[in-house]
Amino acid sequence: MRSLPRDWPRAFAHVDADCFYVSCELIRRPELRGRPVAVMSSQDACVVAKSYDAKARGIATGMPVWEAEKRLPGLVLLPADFRFYGLMSARMFAVLARFSPEIERYSIDEGFLDMEGLRGLFRCDYRTLADRMRRAVREELGITVSIGISVNKLLAKMASEANKPDGSTVVPGRRVAEFLAGRSCGDIPGIGARRAALLRKFGVHTARQLADVGFAQVRRLLGKFGVDIWRELNGEQVFALDMGEALPKSMARTASLGCRTRARRLVEGHLSYHVFRLAMDMTSRGLRARRLRVMLRLGNFERVYADVPLPRASSSYPQLSRAAIRGLDELWPPEREVGACGVIAMSLARANQAQGTLFADDGEETRMLPLWESIARINRKYGRRTVQPAASAVVPERTGRQPRFRYPVIEGRAGYASETYSTSKQVLMAACSIVFRS
Ligand SMILES: [Mg+2]
């Protein structure tokens, strides 16, 4: 791979607390230091965190508690206290904010910092800065963190993992190739075991070898997300720091039908309308859901729900529609007439950032995104029903400002049957260009 001409075209730090939940617990239970400790999930069902010595003795995250107890009889099992971990997390980020104002909270115990310009401000090099950050967290909170600093987010994250616990790893541009030679493809965030196995078949074992593969082959083997990773391995900066507001827990679109009915077609039409609005809002806000909940309110005001997991985090209308139909299938026929319905997007993630999607491949959805963004823009500008699924036409227009155009363009029995998708795509494209021209 070509080495970077400069050591610090940009500089990012990745800070990752070591065994965060366990470390938090040890602060208030110092008598447990030196013993193998694990923290259990909220229902005390499985292990969600473990100390290094528990890990060395075979305890793994996700392991059922009974199995952990059997495997390691002296293991101290503690109930989780997420409120306390949240407070500790806030304190950790407050310490880090004294070093750089530009911080992305990547998870409860991990963050990225933009380090550009800090050497001049603190009058020291990046290694000294990393050591000072580690010391500040350790002295003020009593927990340790590992820090990686490099030219982009991906390399910084790999660097922080290279020297755990309580280590600093600094990888300047001219040392990237050397650093990657010592890391396997499985060490690259976003390259899971399956992709690492695929790469091995093509003789690509180390991260450096992946960086050396040509653009066309990376694209063929790993798709667009692989190209982004490959560019970051080569020292470019692709993934931006995301300092946005906190993620909402869920987003809901529900409303009364204005009547009570057992007509499935009518309920589907209303659901289609809610799904469409939800998809537009999520697209505009750059959010995706991993789960969709369908809600029906029955004549006696009882609510019934069906949860549908999505194959991957999505904000795409066709994807969410299919999930809504599956949810409705589960709830149909209802015991009484339906008076209201709606959809709730759950387990939200940011489109460009959340763990598991930051580097994930979602080809079709990525290709279609500009279309949905255009429709969202059209509806923001000309009224939210300017372009809408045909099935939603059953939902009566509310009074107020009338839209200037209306294109009920998605055809099909329920308005979102997958087999009509490719043709409706073309019609939507046409609709967008008409609106943009007028
Ligand atoms: Mg951690």
Side-chain angles (χ1 to χ4, degrees):
M1 70 182 276
R2 63 200 158 85
S3 62
L4 292 194
R6 288 172 56 204
D7 269 345
W8 298 108
R10 296 294 309 271
F12 292 90
H14 180 250
V15 179
D16 183 8
D18 306 313
C19 299
F20 182 61
Y21 297 163
V22 169
S23 307
C24 289
E25 292 295 346
L26 291 181
I27 294 168
R28 49 185 186 181
R29 300 168 209 252
E31 71 279 7
L32 295 178
R33 278 185 200 280
R35 293 178 60 186
V37 176
V39 173
M40 299 177 288
S41 60
S42 32
Q43 279 87 37
D44 294 354
C46 64
V47 170
V48 291
K50 70 274 169 195
S51 59
Y52 283 102
D53 51 346
K55 184 180 177 182
R57 289 152 79 178
I59 303 303
T61 299
M63 183 180 273
V65 164
W66 62 264
E67 192 185 330
E69 281 174 320
K70 204 168 91 184
R71 195 174 280 233
L72 186 54
L75 181 66
V76 181
L77 284 153
L78 301 171
D81 181 353
F82 292 107
R83 212 182 123 75
F84 178 53
Y85 311 148
L87 290 171
M88 289 296 290
S89 168
R91 288 184 60 202
M92 179 179 92
F93 281 105
V95 171
L96 298 178
R98 297 208 304 262
F99 290 87
S100 170
E102 295 185 47
I103 299 187
E104 171 184 334
R105 289 178 182 226
Y106 187 64
S107 73
I108 191 166
D109 75 321
E110 276 179 76
F112 290 99
L113 284 74
D114 191 334
M115 302 293 283
E116 201 158 21
L118 297 191
R119 285 181 299 180
L121 187 64
F122 288 90
R123 297 179 181 280
C124 64
D125 60 12
Y126 284 128
R127 173 167 301 281
T128 311
L129 261 175
D131 291 343
R132 280 170 66 175
M133 281 155 63
R134 274 194 305 118
R135 193 168 56 236
V137 174
R138 190 176 57 233
E139 285 174 0
E140 293 175 41
L141 273 71
I143 65 171
T144 63
V145 296
S146 297
I147 299 181
I149 299 184
S150 191
V151 295
N152 58 39
K153 283 171 72 179
L154 183 91
L155 291 169
K157 187 162 165 66
M158 289 177 73
S160 76
E161 272 152 30
N163 188 12
K164 262 185 157 303
D166 202 13
S168 308
T169 307
V170 177
V171 184
R174 279 187 267 250
R175 302 277 301 278
V176 170
E178 181 191 325
F179 172 72
L180 293 182
R183 320 299 304 165
S184 76
C185 287
D187 292 334
I188 304 170
I191 302 281
R194 217 183 65 225
R195 292 196 175 99
L198 172 74
L199 289 169
R200 272 198 301 279
K201 267 195 219 156
F202 287 84
V204 179
H205 298 273
T206 67
R208 164 127 187 216
Q209 286 168 332
L210 179 58
D212 281 333
V213 171
F215 173 85
Q217 200 183 355
V218 170
R219 171 121 213 166
R220 202 168 52 244
L221 284 177
L222 301 175
K224 187 200 169 289
F225 92 102
V227 170
D228 287 346
I229 287 179
W230 174 81
R231 285 172 56 196
E232 289 238 332
L233 287 176
N234 278 291
E236 283 179 57
Q237 196 226 324
V238 182
F239 303 118
L241 214 60
D242 184 345
M243 298 177 293
E245 15 125 38
L247 271 179
K249 284 217 162 39
S250 62
M251 283 173 75
R253 292 290 172 267
T254 63
S256 156
L257 299 177
C259 63
R260 289 185 181 178
T261 183
R262 282 183 190 277
R264 173 159 172 155
R265 184 120 190 223
L266 184 62
V267 177
E268 274 188 6
H270 279 263
L271 272 183
S272 153
Y273 175 63
H274 296 318
V275 169
F276 187 67
R277 281 172 58 208
L278 184 68
M280 291 296 100
D281 289 352
M282 288 172 62
T283 303
S284 307
R285 295 178 62 179
L287 297 173
R288 292 182 179 182
R290 297 199 181 90
R291 207 149 41 90
L292 188 75
R293 172 170 289 180
V294 177
M295 184 281 292
L296 299 181
R297 198 186 71 208
L298 306 182
N300 56 352
F301 289 95
E302 184 203 349
R303 286 161 199 266
V304 289
Y305 300 97
D307 275 10
V308 183
L310 297 164
R312 59 177 160 266
S314 175
S315 65
S316 120
Y317 170 72
Q319 191 75 255
L320 296 177
S321 293
R322 282 192 285 272
I325 285 295
R326 276 210 304 283
L328 190 60
D329 286 343
E330 264 180 52
L331 300 174
W332 209 265
E335 276 179 13
R336 289 164 206 271
E337 291 185 317
V338 179
C341 68
V343 283
I344 302 151
M346 305 178 75
S347 306
L348 297 178
R350 272 186 223 294
N352 60 346
Q353 187 240 342
Q355 194 129 27
T357 58
L358 169 56
F359 308 111
D361 179 20
D362 48 13
E364 172 73 3
E365 182 148 350
T366 308
R367 277 197 301 281
M368 292 294 291
L369 194 63
L371 171 66
W372 298 110
E373 284 171 347
S374 301
I375 294 176
R377 270 202 303 279
I378 291 167
N379 285 352
R380 264 203 310 279
K381 187 162 179 187
Y382 297 103
R384 68 185 185 198
R385 300 184 68 176
T386 305
V387 178
Q388 65 167 340
S392 307
V394 300
V395 180
E397 198 79 56
R398 297 202 195 282
T399 50
R401 195 164 70 93
Q402 289 297 305
R404 283 166 61 190
F405 307 95
R406 189 173 322 138
Y407 298 96
V409 287
I410 302 181
E411 285 300 334
R413 185 184 65 83
Y416 29 66
S418 57
E419 59 273 16
T420 65
Y421 177 39
S422 61
T423 48
S424 60
K425 183 159 61 182
Q426 285 147 15
V427 182
L428 278 169
M429 295 280 193
C432 293
S433 59
I434 292 166
V435 174
F436 281 137
R437 272 205 298 278
S438 42

